[in-house]
Structure formats: structure tokens, C-alpha cells
Amino acid sequence: MAKQSSLIFISGGVRSGKSRFAERLAASIANQTAGNLHYIAAGQSSDPEMERRIVRHQKDRSKSGLNWKTWEQPRDLKRLSSVFTSNDVVLLDCLTTLLNNEFFSREDLWKESFFQEQIMCSIIEGVEQIAKSCRALIIVSNEVLNERIGNNELVFIYGRMLGRLHQHIVTSAKEAYLVEAGIPVRMKGVDGHEGSHDSRNGIGCWEKPDSDSDLQGFCQ
């Protein structure tokens, strides 16, 4: 019987501990399934702060003692759709940065609705293709929508796009977590009860999924 894939979504604020939790969860799944660990890094060294964050995450993975294979993919997620197998556990960190890179790839087009839809469709299709090919795809993203936007049109459009991506991915995800102060709260779980808030059992609650992830419909 073919191994089935699982899509897991993890979000949280800056320095919330979401990336560390995601790495622990990925390692737990890989340990349970004898899977291979893969890390899709969307970050680019665009400024000193981003460089420090990249280095910090690299050190965290190195200290874990686990054999992570890293893929540097700041844009065009679909390029990785054919590189993973059903024995791979894949962590994408993070969706917010990936959207940012795509959004500002053509600074003169961000106001255009066709460009916005093109970006979101490309990301969704990449997520869908990777999720179907691997054992588990874990996506990390930032919760930036609770902050005041004001009258900044650029920030408003970006926030709206990120919110739509979050909703579509969570709809298809087997599990969804919100991490605050290092504590993961399970908002959608394998037991089928959304809002269960089963945070303390988060690492040990993963099970083999009973169906494939399905993100179809977003771009049709």
C-alpha cells in the first residue's frame, strides 16, 4: 500500500518558538516512520537581521544531531515538487518569507490583482505538489494579521494575501498549531476535533493520515 501524505500548519508571532516546535515535530515524525528530514529555507540574507535569523536556525538544526538536507528556495516553490519521495518529512520555513520574496520580485506589479493571484496560485500549487509527494509537509508561517495595518495599501494587500493562504492551507491540513511563548496550541488535530487545544501532547499526537491533502480548487 502506498504511503499517504500529511500536511501540517504551524503559525505564531516573532520569537514565539514556532520554528523550534516545527523542527521537533518533523524529527518526531521522521523517527516514527524512519523518514528522511528535509528543510526548505525561504529566507534570503537581505539584511543583518535576516542573516542572524538564518544563522540561528542553521545552528539549531546542527545542534539537534539530526541529518537535515537543506534546500535554499526563496521563490518558485514548485521547482522542488519532484525531488521528494514518500519517505521524506519536509519542513518549509517560512510561508511569510516565501510570499514576501514573491510579492517584491516585481515591485511595479504588487498592486495588480492578476499578479497577486498568480503568486498565490503558484505557492498553493507548490504546496499541493510537495504535500502529495512526501510523507509529511510541515509549513511554518508568521501571525502578522493581528497587528494594526493603518492606511498602508501595500501592507494591507500583503496581509490579505497571507490571510487567504493561511485559510486555504489550514482547510486542507491534517493538523494546525498556534505557538505562543514556546507553547504549541493545537487548533486542528488528527482526532478531528478542531479547537481541541491539546498543546502538551503536540509532539506525540501525530498519526498516519487516512487521506491525501487536497488543495485543489484555489486556482481553478
Side-chain angles (χ1 to χ4, degrees):
M1 182 180 295
K3 296 178 181 178
Q4 295 177 327
S5 62
S6 177
L7 177 61
I8 301 172
F9 182 78
I10 298 171
S11 65
V14 177
R15 303 291 190 275
S16 63
K18 60 186 180 298
S19 292
R20 184 163 297 180
F21 170 68
E23 291 172 12
R24 288 169 54 207
L25 183 57
S28 176
I29 297 172
N31 182 60
Q32 294 178 46
T33 62
N36 305 310
L37 286 168
H38 295 262
Y39 186 95
I40 302 178
Q44 301 181 99
S45 301
S46 55
D47 55 61
E49 172 61 21
M50 179 59 74
E51 177 64 28
R52 286 192 291 269
R53 289 172 59 188
I54 292 173
V55 171
R56 185 178 70 253
H57 287 311
Q58 290 173 339
K59 288 182 178 179
D60 287 344
R61 295 196 300 276
S62 178
K63 289 178 182 178
S64 71
L66 301 171
N67 186 24
W68 289 91
K69 180 176 178 57
T70 300
W71 303 83
E72 304 287 346
Q73 197 68 32
R75 291 184 57 220
D76 199 2
L77 187 62
K78 290 187 293 183
R79 289 186 178 181
L80 297 180
S81 61
S82 63
V83 304
F84 303 114
T85 70
S86 60
N87 201 43
D88 292 332
V89 178
V90 183
L91 171 56
L92 167 61
D93 195 354
C94 70
L95 179 67
T96 320
T97 304
L98 180 65
L99 175 60
N100 183 78
N101 295 339
E102 297 282 12
F103 190 67
F104 291 107
S105 63
R106 294 285 302 276
E107 294 186 8
D108 56 329
L109 291 179
W110 63 266
K111 289 186 178 181
E112 303 294 337
S113 59
F114 80 89
F115 182 64
Q116 298 163 21
E117 293 297 321
Q118 183 182 64
I119 289 172
M120 289 190 290
C121 284
S122 177
I123 292 175
I124 287 293
E125 288 170 4
V127 168
E128 179 184 23
Q129 291 169 12
I130 293 174
K132 286 183 177 180
S133 66
C134 65
R135 168 56 68 92
L137 171 60
I138 301 173
I139 297 177
V140 176
S141 191
N142 284 312
E143 284 294 340
V144 300
L145 303 178
N146 294 330
E147 300 177 5
R148 185 173 180 178
I149 294 177
N151 296 321
N152 190 316
E153 183 182 10
L154 185 151
V155 176
F156 176 81
I157 291 175
Y158 175 86
R160 182 179 61 189
M161 292 171 66
L162 183 63
R164 289 180 63 192
L165 286 172
H166 282 190
Q167 290 183 56
H168 280 275
I169 292 172
V170 170
T171 296
S172 296
K174 299 294 291 187
E175 300 176 45
Y177 296 88
L178 175 65
V179 182
E180 295 183 353
I183 300 176
V185 178
R186 189 167 69 184
M187 309 302 289
K188 180 178 181 181
V190 292
D191 56 7
H193 300 294
E194 295 188 23
S196 62
H197 301 276
D198 187 8
S199 62
R200 285 163 176 71
N201 294 325
I203 293 299
C205 68
W206 186 83
E207 298 176 359
K208 292 181 180 179
D210 53 14
S211 63
D212 288 336
S213 299
D214 186 4
L215 293 166
Q216 294 180 355
F218 183 83
C219 302
Q220 295 179 355

